[in-house]
Amino acid sequence: MSTTFDRLFIEPRRTDHPQSRPARTRETETAQSPSMVLLVLLASAGIVVYAIFLLNPGNRGDWLPYVMVIAAESVLVFHALLAMWTVLASGYDPRGFAFHHAQDRLYGLEEILQLHTESRPQDWTMSLDGRSVTIDVFITTYGEDLGTIRRTVTAAVAMHGAHETWVLDDGRSDEVAALAAELGARYIRRLSSNGAKAGNINHALSITRGELFVVFDADFVPKPEFLYETVPFFASKDVAFVQTPQAYGNLETVVSKGAGYMQAVFYRFIQPGRNRFNAAFCVGTNVIFRRAAIVDVGGIYSDSKSEDVWTSLMLHEKGWRTVYIPKELAVGDTPETVEAYTKQQLRWATGGFEIMLTHNPMSPKRKLTIDQRLQYTVTATFYLTGIAPLLLIMVPPLQIFFNLTPMNLTITPATWLLYYAGFYVMQVLVAFYTLGSFRWQTLLMAAVSFPIYVRALLNAVFKREQAWHVTGSKGAYRSPFAFIQPQVLVFVFLALTTVVGAWKDLSNGYPSLALAWNATNTIILGGFVVTAWREGRSARRALRKPRGKRVAALTTAGAA
């Protein structure tokens, strides 16, 4: 018999003994640790003190740079405070008695023994409230390589619990169809790509009949226990979906590390905190839905490329409950290149700005609780925090070239740095505590992504269509510099400004804070430019290797 069945057979049912409480999870313990709570409270205090310092009229300098600083820092302060508030709520565990009771009775031991399926957990019927539940597993594909699809489909078919696995191929590939048949999965191909991923899923829903359905991107490989850990939540009739984290197995490049670690705090503490407010939202993959809930809102939202957040918002407005569990149940890929990162962030940010501009969560028309309104406002405006660095980057040049300073000149640099540290350093410490180490790649990517978010905002304002891009797809090589021209121009400008500032400080006989900040910003942008150059060099080398092999083969064949 399998180890899984042994454990299922031997372990007692926890809910047969109501007086015993289920063990607390590692994620909940971390969120509720006194050290974590203390750090968050200190960081919150630092944010408030910094805000008071900035808004004090006596500290105001020249109007133009002051307004730029206030505009940028107001966005950052607002989001920092709401983030701290949400993190404090992250100790809430959605796994209550109903969940554990349903999980204890998810598989029928008698049926397993009767059908002799002890060694085939993928065939075990799952039951909720004494009746079997049908589940469809959707794997959405759009041009990913066959090796990637094979890994995901193989793992999906093998998940514990009876289910039907479907490959939804918007790439319309005969090779993918053959692969699905080989691995025991079913295959769906549609004639058009209308609605992108959302349209792909909605089309599959019109063909399948499962009570629940799971969505995996083609590059996210599920673990065997995915259904065991998520299906029991649906014993509660008001649950629309259960979302699990995006975990990454390709954190190898500067871009992939920056993009991956950037989301770590979100998945470990922000999303769990949103459980407390019934505001956890879908992230597009590693999620299981109740079909009836999606039918209730007219299907997966298809008028935006951020169909996941929009669908979540529609569900919450209809009164459905959503669940997030911080347990890694699938491992996938984060963007590895500048191109992939740019396209991913552009799509996500455009969707967020669309909500901000066309579906304001704070509007009285929205049927949301006050907590949900706040959380969705944070989501809709989050990418403004990516535009804020652009305003702050432009402040030191104003002082260097025009002697315009944002703060009163009577304030010493040491005083200003003290307040500044209370805001930023404490947040870095919180991130350090949650991630276990300092991730400079995250700060780098956050500081240099402003052109992406400016473009996304313009897309939303002018209703420009944003093309769909699959993170794991492999296309023709394009230089990373084709996607970072604004960053290169800003780097050149800052480098020249640093030279001017150094010459000016030498003439004045004392160093200035403006020069120090401008030089720091120059180094950060320069680091990103170097990252892009290294990426391009590696890609060109990789392209030359196959070409060299082909030439050698042809030469050998000609000699023969």
Side-chain angles (χ1 to χ4, degrees):
M1 291 191 294
S2 68
T3 302
T4 302
F5 182 76
D6 289 343
R7 186 174 65 251
L8 181 67
F9 187 80
I10 295 172
E11 287 183 356
R13 290 178 170 176
R14 290 159 293 183
T15 51
D16 285 341
H17 307 280
Q19 71 276 11
S20 61
R21 299 180 61 185
R24 294 169 65 179
T25 64
R26 177 178 58 83
E27 296 88 355
T28 304
E29 290 284 358
T30 302
Q32 292 181 342
S33 71
S35 298
M36 181 66 179
V37 173
L38 177 61
L39 273 177
V40 171
L41 291 176
L42 289 175
S44 301
I47 295 168
V48 172
V49 171
Y50 181 63
I52 294 172
F53 169 74
L54 285 180
L55 295 174
N56 184 351
N59 295 331
R60 179 181 62 81
D62 295 297
W63 275 108
L64 178 59
Y66 179 74
V67 169
M68 292 170 64
V69 168
I70 290 299
E73 298 288 21
S74 294
V75 172
L76 297 175
V77 165
F78 170 76
H79 279 270
L81 279 177
L82 265 296
M84 295 301 106
W85 168 246
T86 307
V87 169
L88 284 175
S90 63
Y92 172 76
D93 191 345
R95 303 177 186 89
F97 180 85
F99 168 84
H100 291 291
H101 184 77
Q103 192 179 55
D104 283 342
R105 293 155 178 78
L106 189 61
Y107 304 126
L109 296 178
E110 293 181 1
E111 180 182 348
I112 294 172
L113 292 171
Q114 182 180 359
L115 297 177
H116 304 291
T117 57
E118 296 92 336
S119 62
R120 299 196 306 276
Q122 67 269 25
D123 295 332
W124 296 349
T125 300
M126 288 179 286
S127 300
L128 292 176
D129 297 325
R131 60 179 183 81
S132 61
V133 58
T134 54
I135 302 173
D136 292 312
V137 176
F138 297 154
I139 299 171
T140 58
T141 73
Y142 186 53
E144 295 87 353
D145 64 86
L146 289 179
T148 297
I149 298 173
R150 176 182 289 275
R151 288 191 297 273
T152 300
V153 175
T154 300
V157 169
M159 287 193 304
H160 298 172
H163 62 280
E164 192 79 52
T165 301
W166 303 77
V167 177
L168 316 185
D169 182 23
D170 258 6
R172 294 181 281 280
S173 166
D174 293 337
E175 290 82 2
V176 173
L179 178 64
E182 173 194 339
L183 298 176
R186 303 186 70 176
Y187 178 84
I188 295 178
R189 175 189 298 188
R190 58 185 181 138
L191 298 178
S192 71
S193 298
N194 292 337
K197 180 179 175 180
N200 196 6
I201 296 172
N202 287 333
H203 177 252
L205 287 173
S206 70
I207 297 173
T208 60
R209 293 292 178 267
E211 179 183 345
L212 307 176
F213 68 94
V214 182
V215 177
F216 292 117
D217 286 348
D219 59 335
F220 272 89
V221 180
K223 296 182 179 180
E225 64 271 23
F226 182 91
L227 297 175
Y228 178 73
E229 295 290 349
T230 57
V231 170
F233 284 104
F234 292 96
S236 298
K237 303 300 183 182
D238 59 346
V239 172
F241 67 76
V242 179
Q243 178 65 62
T244 70
Q246 290 189 20
Y248 306 108
N250 64 329
L251 302 179
E252 299 170 353
T253 68
V254 171
V255 173
S256 63
K257 289 178 181 178
Y261 294 139
M262 193 180 294
Q263 300 179 60
V265 174
F266 171 76
Y267 284 120
R268 293 183 188 179
F269 296 98
I270 300 299
Q271 276 277 65
R274 291 186 171 194
N275 273 327
R276 175 81 73 171
F277 313 119
N278 187 26
F281 62 79
C282 170
V283 297
T285 184
N286 311 347
V287 59
I288 178 169
F289 289 94
R290 187 191 300 272
R291 175 188 286 265
I294 295 302
V295 170
D296 189 38
V297 296
I300 301 293
Y301 190 86
S302 59
D303 290 337
S304 171
K305 296 303 185 292
S306 291
E307 79 293 331
D308 41 16
V309 180
W310 274 95
T311 301
S312 305
L313 179 55
M314 300 298 103
L315 289 167
H316 283 131
E317 289 186 351
K318 280 280 192 174
W320 288 93
R321 185 163 70 91
T322 64
V323 174
Y324 173 82
I325 52 173
K327 186 178 182 66
E328 295 181 359
L329 296 173
V331 178
D333 293 338
T334 192
E336 295 180 334
T337 65
V338 170
E339 176 182 0
Y341 173 79
T342 299
K343 291 181 176 180
Q344 180 203 66
Q345 294 296 306
L346 185 60
R347 177 166 57 85
W348 289 357
T350 300
F353 287 139
E354 286 172 349
I355 295 176
M356 179 181 74
L357 296 173
T358 65
H359 202 88
N360 179 12
M362 298 304 290
S363 169
K365 299 178 183 178
R366 312 300 169 220
K367 296 180 180 179
L368 300 168
T369 66
I370 185 61
D371 288 321
Q372 290 173 330
R373 292 176 189 274
L374 285 172
Q375 293 296 329
Y376 274 109
T377 297
V378 169
T379 300
T381 61
F382 172 75
Y383 291 100
L384 290 175
T385 62
I387 298 177
L390 175 60
L391 295 176
L392 298 177
I393 283 173
M394 292 296 107
V395 170
L398 286 176
Q399 183 169 347
I400 291 172
F401 289 115
F402 304 107
N403 291 323
L404 297 176
T405 177
M407 307 306 291
N408 191 323
L409 290 176
T410 60
I411 298 175
T412 65
T415 300
W416 189 86
L417 285 173
L418 179 62
Y419 284 99
Y420 187 85
F423 178 36
Y424 284 100
V425 173
M426 285 306 304
Q427 292 184 75
V428 170
L429 288 176
V430 171
F432 182 91
Y433 182 84
T434 57
L435 297 178
S437 63
F438 178 71
R439 307 295 186 182
W440 62 268
Q441 297 93 340
T442 297
L443 294 181
L444 174 67
M445 300 306 294
V448 303
S449 297
F450 53 87
I452 303 173
Y453 305 131
V454 170
R455 182 180 171 188
L457 181 58
L458 294 176
N459 283 349
V461 170
F462 295 107
K463 295 179 169 49
R464 297 173 182 167
E465 180 68 14
Q466 177 56 43
W468 182 264
H469 172 73
V470 178
T471 300
S473 62
K474 307 295 183 184
Y477 166 73
R478 295 184 66 185
S479 169
F481 286 95
F483 301 93
I484 65 166
Q485 293 175 1
Q487 288 96 326
V488 173
L489 292 175
V490 172
F491 165 69
V492 172
F493 170 71
L494 293 181
L496 294 175
T497 303
T498 298
V499 173
V500 173
W503 174 80
K504 184 177 178 181
D505 284 2
L506 286 173
S507 301
N508 292 334
Y510 58 87
S512 67
L513 189 60
L515 174 61
W517 276 119
N518 196 82
T520 301
N521 293 332
T522 303
I523 293 171
I524 293 172
L525 266 295
F528 184 62
V529 171
V530 170
T531 296
W533 175 77
R534 288 179 174 174
E535 177 190 309
R537 183 182 62 176
S538 298
R540 288 190 297 272
R541 284 179 177 175
L543 286 174
R544 283 196 295 266
K545 285 182 180 179
R547 189 181 309 162
K549 290 180 180 178
R550 287 195 299 270
V551 172
L554 290 173
T555 302
T556 303

